[in-house]
Amino acid sequence: MDRYITGFVIRRLRESKKMTQEDLAEKLYVSGKAVSKWENGQGFPDISLLEPLAKALDISVTELLSGEYIRNRNRSANMFRSQCYVCPVCGNVVWSVGEAVVSCCGITLPPLEAETAEQEHEIHLAKVEDEYYVTIDHPMTKEHYISFLAAVSDQGIQFVKLYPQGNAEARCKIARVRYLYAYCNRHGLFQVKV
């Protein structure tokens, strides 16, 4: 915990809530002098006070510890800027509607960058009534396979988990789909614009 930044965040949030140091101290059952020390970087709140302090300031404990005041400025998220994270240990997949810090199996996962689908990762689609029938001519062995297919529209994501020794195919509703993604367990994420 950085003394200066955390103290600055505590002071800024306390003042934005029109609280005095004494008001905050009263909520936490500590002295006003203790709050003053935190804000001036001369001390730290006890670990048992982190959650009540964050609650009193209306932020998360993570924000308090990082010293960053984080607020969602993008209330209407854009699905086309979503990010995909895949754990190399267990294969867990996390799709977020923007940047995130994602960890799994003790590893912080980087967002995947999708490459244009070509050659053995080329994504084929055919319209079948109100759906796309998506296929990929790709080996589907236990060692090398397409793990999932995803169709992204401005309204959401359709996600289909695939398994080794199955077929690299799926169906998804056509409605407003703009991008199709395929994830190869060896070569990463591929996309095609619809």
Side-chain angles (χ1 to χ4, degrees), residues 5 8 13 15-16 33 35 65-67 80 88 94 105 110 117 119 133 135 164 179:
I5 294 177
F8 174 75
L13 292 170
E15 289 173 350
S16 74
K33 200 172 203 176
V35 173
L65 290 174
S66 71
F80 300 128
V94 176
C105 297
Q119 298 168 352
Y133 175 61
T135 59
Y179 294 95

Side-chain angles (χ1 to χ4, degrees), residues 28 30 78 83 89 113 135 138 157 182:
L28 301 173
V30 298
N78 185 336
Q83 299 282 326
V89 177
E113 290 191 30
T135 59
H138 189 281
I157 182 170

Side-chain angles (χ1 to χ4, degrees), residues 11-144:
R11 173 177 283 149
R12 184 178 58 187
L13 292 170
R14 176 185 59 77
E15 289 173 350
S16 74
K17 295 191 140 314
K18 309 279 190 249
M19 282 193 282
T20 64
Q21 288 179 343
E22 291 297 327
D23 294 335
L24 181 58
E26 194 174 302
K27 287 184 179 215
L28 301 173
Y29 304 104
V30 298
S31 69
K33 200 172 203 176
V35 173
S36 176
K37 283 184 176 182
W38 303 339
E39 290 182 356
N40 293 316
Q42 297 172 349
F44 298 105
D46 185 78
I47 195 162
S48 65
L49 293 173
L50 293 181
E51 201 167 318
L53 177 59
K55 187 175 181 180
L57 297 173
D58 195 28
I59 64 170
S60 69
V61 173
T62 303
E63 291 170 304
L64 186 62
L65 290 174
S66 71
E68 294 181 28
Y69 180 55
I70 304 164
R71 283 293 176 245
N72 186 354
R73 290 179 221 82
N74 185 6
R75 301 233 180 248
S76 56
N78 185 336
M79 286 301 297
F80 300 128
R81 286 187 284 219
S82 60
Q83 299 282 326
C84 181
Y85 304 83
V86 177
C87 179
V89 177
C90 70
N92 193 14
V93 179
V94 176
W95 207 287
S96 71
V97 185
E99 291 183 33
V101 177
V102 177
S103 62
C104 188
C105 297
I107 303 167
T108 299
L109 306 177
L112 299 177
E113 290 191 30
E115 296 179 35
T116 303
E118 296 176 345
Q119 298 168 352
E120 77 172 318
H121 298 102
E122 188 172 357
I123 301 170
H124 307 281
L125 61 135
K127 284 185 180 181
V128 179
E129 296 178 6
D130 66 338
E131 294 181 321
Y132 285 126
Y133 175 61
V134 183
T135 59
I136 301 176
D137 299 325
H138 189 281
M140 292 294 283
T141 65
K142 286 183 180 180
E143 295 79 31
H144 190 196

